[in-house]
Amino acid sequence: MKDRFLLADGSPDMPALKEWAEEYYQTLMGMVNGFYAQADIQDVIESLRNIPFQQLVSQELTDAGETIVGIAITFVKEIAEREIDYIRAYLKYM
């Protein structure tokens, strides 16, 4: 099976991986949205930090190579950190 995240030359398709990571992260957040809407914001931040993204992404991309999985994990973790930074910035102005 051809890895959907590899270009013809065998290098990672970074735009496709970034797009997948954004969609995957948003899907995960959609599943926990109800909880987060009711939780204390500090608990939300702690929860975001404790999501096992490495395990979840690895399970989702079982057909992808190790390099692709590693890049995807990095992108998803970066998105989570970005979201945590947004929440913290918002809290400063509340």
Side-chain angles (χ1 to χ4, degrees):
M1 179 177 145
K2 181 185 177 300
D3 192 325
R4 63 184 168 154
F5 297 114
L6 290 178
L7 298 172
D9 67 359
S11 63
D13 184 345
M14 300 304 268
L17 275 164
K18 284 182 181 184
E19 182 178 332
W20 180 89
E22 282 286 348
E23 290 175 8
Y24 185 72
Y25 181 83
Q26 294 307 322
T27 299
L28 287 176
M29 291 305 101
M31 288 189 272
V32 296
N33 218 11
F35 163 74
Y36 285 166
Q38 302 296 319
D40 175 76
I41 197 70
Q42 294 301 328
D43 291 339
V44 170
I45 291 170
E46 186 65 25
S47 175
L48 283 171
R49 289 200 179 282
N50 289 318
I51 294 173
F53 291 117
Q54 184 166 346
Q55 179 184 351
L56 295 172
V57 170
S58 294
Q59 289 173 350
E60 189 69 23
L61 297 177
T62 55
D63 293 338
E66 206 173 296
T67 300
I68 296 300
V69 172
I71 293 168
I73 290 167
T74 298
F75 285 159
V76 171
K77 286 182 175 182
E78 286 173 355
I79 294 165
E81 284 302 316
R82 179 189 71 203
E83 295 297 316
I84 290 168
D85 289 345
Y86 289 160
I87 293 168
R88 286 204 167 127
Y90 175 76
L91 288 174
K92 286 182 182 180
Y93 296 101
M94 281 186 56

